[in-house]
């Protein structure tokens, strides 16, 4: 009896009849058992063949992937064995040296480099054999393209599954390409700096626009005071002129006494000094406000100067609060003076931004309060701006000083005020932080050196 299994060959056809004859007389059970064993062996062979084909397909995919990665690399790559014989290179190296990989396989790796670099490359293997690492080195390839011949290399050991050294891999980037990358990076950095400066100016102008009403009120008070005093001085001047004219006309003492009483010359003489002093004070206040406005809006590098930080805090609060439709209550916990040396305009802008931020949080609340406090702590001036608003949520706390982050409706905030304030504080050697108050609301803490000239 001859039995043909699916997919079997002629050898199988010969074996089965022989086994059939050999097993005659031993019983049907033995023969069936042999056939079953043969089926199991054949099934195992088919499964092994399938697994082998699958593994081979995966191997081909891995090889194609590695080849595509090597082809995409702009850096040159060379792999060699422990004798320094080339085993593989990538297309980037082929392009520079002008030779195909098949002509380089088995050649000494030193042949890829100019004579002055061959000893360095040969020494890489000796260093790796001793277990030492190789620092980045510049070597020159034997290439006609001098611009890409010089490469900055990194060399690492290549080991087998047992950890034995089997060769090395050398990766290098043309120095010319690195220089171009550095130039591009410098250009990007310069563009970023210019953009940041433009953002600073934009935010400063936006803040100035919000403060116009408050600044106008600040200017209106001393200007009105000066105008009032000048009208009074004009009347006093007319009275004095009439009195002196009468004196020149040889009036009698009785007439001069009566005229002096009618013109209130004695009162004029008492008032004229305080009027002049008050007028000068008002004019000086206008001058100071104008100087602060110019300093606030200036884009030029500011030099450190001596000033009283308490007065700056008052000015920043006045400018912001007087521009608010619903004015929050401002509570002050400040000494008479906090003398410091720093960039007055920048500190003023930080304070304006912090007070404005608190005012925005309290917008429309009739019970809104802003607490401004300041003190000297060691070598620093510490100024705190707190409000009784809703505070800062945990989701927003890490983003509060990021550029363009704002919780205000679109079109009502730039998201740059706190970001700029944070950076200005850092540039003066200080810091700006925020915490929620236990009683409710947020508290910003500004810490600035009392003398920025000591900061690097």
């Amino acid at each position: 009896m001859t039995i043909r299994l699916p997919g079997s060959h002629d050898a199988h056809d010969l074996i089965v009849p022989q086994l059939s004859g050999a097993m005659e007389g031993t019983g049907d059970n033995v023969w069936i058992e042999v056939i079953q064993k043969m089926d199991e062996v054949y099934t195992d062979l088919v499964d092994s063949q399938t697994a082998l084909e699958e593994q081979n397909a995966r191997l081909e995919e891995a090889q194609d992937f590695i080849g595509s990665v090597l082809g995409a690399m702009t850096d040159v790559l060379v792999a060699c064995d422990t004798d320094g014989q080339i085993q593989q290179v990538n297309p980037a190296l082929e392009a520079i040296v002008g030779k195909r990989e098949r002509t380089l396989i088995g050649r000494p790796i030193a042949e890829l480099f100019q004579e002055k670099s061959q000893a360095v490359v040969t020494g890489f293997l000796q260093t790796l054999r001793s277990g030492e690492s190789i620092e980045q080195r510049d070597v020159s390839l034997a290439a006609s393209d001098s611009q890409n011949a010089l490469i900055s290399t990194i060399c690492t050991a290549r080991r087998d599954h047992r950890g034995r050294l089997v060769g090395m891999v050398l990766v290098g980037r043309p120095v010319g390409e690195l220089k171009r990358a550095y130039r591009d990076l410098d250009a990007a950095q310069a563009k970023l700096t210019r953009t940041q400066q433009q953002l600073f100016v934009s935010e400063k102008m936006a803040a100035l626009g919000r403060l116009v009403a408050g600044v106008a009120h600040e200017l209106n008070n001393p200007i009105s005071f000066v105008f009032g005093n000048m009208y009074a001085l004009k009347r006093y001047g007319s009275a004095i002129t009439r009195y002196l004219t009468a004196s020149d006309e040889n009036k009698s003492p009785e007439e001069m006494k009566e005229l002096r009483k009618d013109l209130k010359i004695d009162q004029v003489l008492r008032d004229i000094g305080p009027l002049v002093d008050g007028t000068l004070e008002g004019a000086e206040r206008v001058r100071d406000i104008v100087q602060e406005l110019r300093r606030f809006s200036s884009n030029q590098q500011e030099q450190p100067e001596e000033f009283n930080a308490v007065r700056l805090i008052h000015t920043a609060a006045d400018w912001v609060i007087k521009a608010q439709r619903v004015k929050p209550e401002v509570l002050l916990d400040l000494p008479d003076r906090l003398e410091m040396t720093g960039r007055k305009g920048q500190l003023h802008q930080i304070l304006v931004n912090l007070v404005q931020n608190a005012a925005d949080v309290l917008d429309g609340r009739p019970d809104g309060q802003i607490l401004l406090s300041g003190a000297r702590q060691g070598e620093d001036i510490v100024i705190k701006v707190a409000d009784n608003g809703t505070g800062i949520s945990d989701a927003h706390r890490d983003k509060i000083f990021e550029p363009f982050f704002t919780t205000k409706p679109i079109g009502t905030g730039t998201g740059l005020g706190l970001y700029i304030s944070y950076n200005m504080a850092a540039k003066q050697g200080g810091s700006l932080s925020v915490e929620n108050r236990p009683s409710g609301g947020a508290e910003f803490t500004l810490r600035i050196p009392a003398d920025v000239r000591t900061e690097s």
Side-chain angles (χ1 to χ4, degrees):
M1 180 177 63
T2 302
I3 299 176
R4 179 179 293 274
L5 296 176
S8 60
H9 302 286
D10 292 341
H12 181 274
D13 297 339
L14 295 174
I15 292 173
V16 173
Q18 292 174 359
L19 286 174
S20 176
M23 298 300 297
E24 287 181 358
T26 60
D28 292 339
N29 291 337
V30 174
W31 175 246
I32 293 173
E33 183 177 346
V34 170
I35 297 301
Q36 290 175 343
K37 289 294 183 181
M38 292 184 66
D39 284 341
E40 292 175 3
V41 171
Y42 180 73
T43 301
D44 290 341
L45 286 174
V46 172
D47 291 342
S48 297
Q49 178 68 21
T50 302
L52 185 61
E53 290 176 355
E54 291 176 352
Q55 291 176 358
N56 184 63
R58 287 196 295 267
L59 183 61
E60 289 179 352
E61 291 177 358
Q63 188 172 1
D64 291 341
F65 175 77
I66 294 173
S68 66
V69 171
L70 291 177
M73 289 178 62
T74 57
D75 294 353
V76 301
L77 180 142
V78 185
C80 67
D81 59 20
T82 53
D83 294 326
Q85 307 299 313
I86 298 174
Q87 294 178 309
Q88 190 170 7
V89 300
N90 71 334
L93 184 127
E94 291 179 327
I96 292 178
V97 301
K99 297 180 181 179
R100 304 296 295 175
E101 182 183 46
R102 61 178 179 271
T103 65
L104 297 174
I105 300 299
R107 306 294 299 173
I109 189 173
E111 292 184 3
L112 293 175
F113 297 88
Q114 296 179 13
E115 185 175 353
K116 62 182 180 180
S117 300
Q118 290 180 355
V120 176
V121 176
T122 303
F124 287 165
L125 275 171
Q126 298 174 357
T127 303
L128 293 175
R129 287 193 188 98
S130 63
E132 300 178 11
S133 60
I134 299 174
E135 297 181 355
Q136 184 171 328
R137 297 287 299 273
D138 290 347
V139 292
S140 297
L141 288 167
S144 57
D145 185 0
S146 58
Q147 184 177 1
N148 293 321
L150 183 64
I151 61 173
S152 179
T153 62
I154 297 176
C155 189
T156 56
R158 188 166 59 87
R159 302 182 182 279
D160 62 11
H161 65 283
R162 296 181 179 179
R164 294 178 302 183
L165 180 69
V166 294
M168 71 174 183
V169 176
L170 185 148
V171 179
R173 172 165 295 183
V175 174
E177 184 178 338
L178 287 173
K179 290 181 178 179
R180 287 193 296 272
Y182 287 139
R183 285 196 298 269
D184 292 343
L185 183 61
D186 288 341
Q189 176 66 25
K191 183 177 180 181
L192 178 62
T193 301
R194 290 194 302 271
T195 302
Q196 188 178 48
Q197 291 173 346
Q198 292 170 356
L199 289 175
F200 281 13
V201 173
S202 299
E203 170 60 21
K204 188 179 293 185
M205 293 300 101
L208 191 59
R210 293 193 300 266
L211 298 174
V212 164
V215 174
H217 191 280
E218 282 292 299
L219 285 170
N220 185 62
N221 284 343
I223 289 175
S224 299
F225 189 60
V226 169
F227 268 109
N229 286 355
M230 291 306 297
Y231 280 119
L233 286 171
K234 185 177 181 180
R235 292 195 308 271
Y236 289 171
S238 298
I240 292 174
T241 300
R242 286 180 58 188
Y243 184 77
L244 293 177
T245 301
S247 178
D248 290 339
E249 294 174 351
N250 296 320
K251 299 283 186 180
S252 66
E254 290 76 11
E255 290 176 326
M256 292 299 296
K257 184 176 181 180
E258 186 65 25
L259 183 61
R260 185 184 184 96
K261 182 179 179 181
D262 292 341
L263 295 176
K264 301 180 181 179
I265 296 300
D266 293 334
Q267 181 180 346
V268 168
L269 294 177
R270 289 194 303 271
D271 290 348
I272 196 167
L275 277 174
V276 172
D277 292 340
T279 302
L280 288 174
E281 181 181 350
E284 289 172 354
R285 180 59 185 148
V286 172
R287 180 199 62 192
D288 291 343
I289 293 174
V290 172
Q291 287 179 346
E292 288 167 358
L293 279 172
R294 292 179 62 186
R295 185 183 291 109
F296 186 87
S297 59
S298 175
N299 300 328
Q300 303 195 2
Q301 182 66 32
E302 185 182 7
Q303 297 301 318
E305 60 180 299
E306 296 181 3
F307 60 92
N308 179 15
V310 172
R311 184 173 179 180
L312 207 65
I313 296 171
H314 279 283
T315 301
D318 288 342
W319 284 15
V320 173
I321 299 305
K322 288 176 181 176
Q324 299 302 302
R325 181 177 55 85
V326 178
K327 295 176 174 51
E329 181 183 7
V330 177
L331 307 176
L332 300 175
D333 181 14
L334 298 166
D336 292 334
R337 303 188 69 83
L338 278 175
E339 298 293 340
M340 64 179 296
T341 300
R343 294 178 175 86
K344 187 177 179 181
Q346 291 188 12
L347 182 57
H348 189 198
Q349 184 173 355
I350 294 173
L351 293 172
V352 165
N353 289 342
L354 294 180
V355 177
Q356 183 68 61
N357 183 74
D360 290 341
V361 170
L362 301 173
D363 186 33
R365 287 186 51 168
D367 62 339
Q369 289 183 337
I370 298 177
L371 173 61
L372 299 173
S373 60
R376 176 152 186 163
Q377 296 181 4
E379 299 299 322
D380 296 333
I381 299 293
V382 178
I383 301 171
K384 296 185 178 183
V385 180
D387 62 71
N388 64 336
T390 56
I392 303 171
S393 66
D394 294 337
H396 294 160
R397 186 171 301 181
D398 294 337
K399 303 177 182 179
I400 197 72
F401 295 116
E402 291 182 1
F404 306 111
F405 174 78
T406 179
T407 58
K408 302 174 187 175
I410 296 175
T412 60
T414 63
L416 290 172
L418 294 178
Y419 166 71
I420 289 175
S421 300
Y422 183 89
N423 282 276
M424 280 187 172
K427 286 181 179 179
Q428 296 193 61
S431 63
L432 180 61
S433 59
V434 62
E435 293 292 339
N436 284 327
R437 304 171 68 197
S439 58
E443 181 177 74
F444 287 84
T445 301
L446 173 66
R447 183 179 294 272
I448 296 289
D451 189 348
V452 300
R453 292 174 301 187
T454 63
E455 298 298 314
S456 56

